[in-house]
Amino acid sequence: DAKTTQPPSMDCAEGRAANLPCNHSTISGNEYVYWYRQIHSQGPQYIIHGLKNNETNEMASLIITEDRKSSTLILPHATLRDTAVYYCIVRAPLGNTPLVFGKGTRLSVIA
Amino acid sequence: GAVVSQHPSWVICKSGTSVKIECRSLDFQATTMFWYRQFPKQSLMLMATSNEGSKATYEQGVEKDKFLINHASLTLSTLTVTSAHPEDSSFYICSAPSGRGGLNSYGYTFGSGTRLTVV
């Protein structure tokens, strides 16, 4: 799996958009970008994933650069409940292999 | 959606005793279960992979005789921490592939975690 780099922490004002960056310059052609988050003392939760096109779901949007070397997770209207550690994971969709977690970004949403 | 039910959510035990953690897949069959451990302010570290009906495979540095994993059915995997010591105090999380499969699968469902405190 390709290595990812994320800032260790970020703050965001409640109601504003939270933009979380991720660098994955060594990503391979068949590797997807996945985002998970972990709220304190809970198991990780899937957010979104993409290959090369931008993706949007009810939780977030994922913007992937054209060269696929970086991406941004966007929470359009952050709430206090979005305070969590966000993990960007790059991997090929291989069945039955574990997710490998980096250090992630600790997002603090501030009232 | 797919749910993995993990119990207990927290447990306090005395040093030297054993603790069993259960993870059940409620609406899908989990042929594989991954077990992670997370120390405070650290990321999740993979401990072992269990496959239904076969022996678990452990990551380097994880004692297989201390962390016993049983995956006897397609819906239940258990992790038993034997002869627990204070250094085993951690947050234990299970995870199973649970998605639609194929190239667009996002299907990794995680349990809610078990906070183990050994005193």
Side-chain angles (χ1 to χ4, degrees), chain A residues 95-98, chain B residues 2 28-34 95-99 105 107-109:
Chain A
N96 289 357
T97 58
Chain B
F28 69 100
Q29 293 183 331
T31 56
T32 301
M33 191 74 75
F34 304 111
S95 171
S98 60
S105 172
Y108 283 79
T109 299

Side-chain angles (χ1 to χ4, degrees), chain A:
Chain A
D1 297 342
K3 180 178 172 58
T4 62
T5 303
Q6 299 178 253
S9 64
M10 292 182 64
D11 292 339
C12 178
E14 187 178 20
R16 304 296 294 270
N19 297 289
L20 292 91
C22 180
N23 286 323
H24 32 80
S25 59
T26 60
I27 191 170
S28 299
N30 66 337
E31 289 182 317
Y32 283 66
V33 180
Y34 293 83
W35 283 84
Y36 282 75
R37 74 179 182 183
Q38 185 180 24
I39 296 170
H40 183 63
S41 293
Q42 296 183 25
Q45 174 191 24
Y46 165 84
I47 301 173
I48 200 167
H49 78 289
L51 181 62
K52 55 182 179 180
N53 296 324
N54 298 337
E55 302 288 343
T56 295
N57 63 19
E58 64 279 4
M59 290 183 67
S61 294
L62 174 61
I63 308 298
I64 303 174
T65 58
E66 192 169 343
D67 62 8
R68 302 207 324 124
K69 292 184 177 183
S70 65
S71 61
T72 301
L73 177 74
I74 300 173
L75 308 179
H77 305 286
T79 70
L80 298 179
R81 286 176 293 182
D82 293 321
T83 293
V85 179
Y86 288 76
Y87 296 98
C88 169
I89 299 171
V90 171
R91 57 169 287 155
L94 302 173
N96 289 357
T97 58
L99 293 177
V100 177
F101 290 83
K103 296 182 179 180
T105 295
R106 183 173 298 277
L107 175 69
S108 298
V109 181
I110 303 167

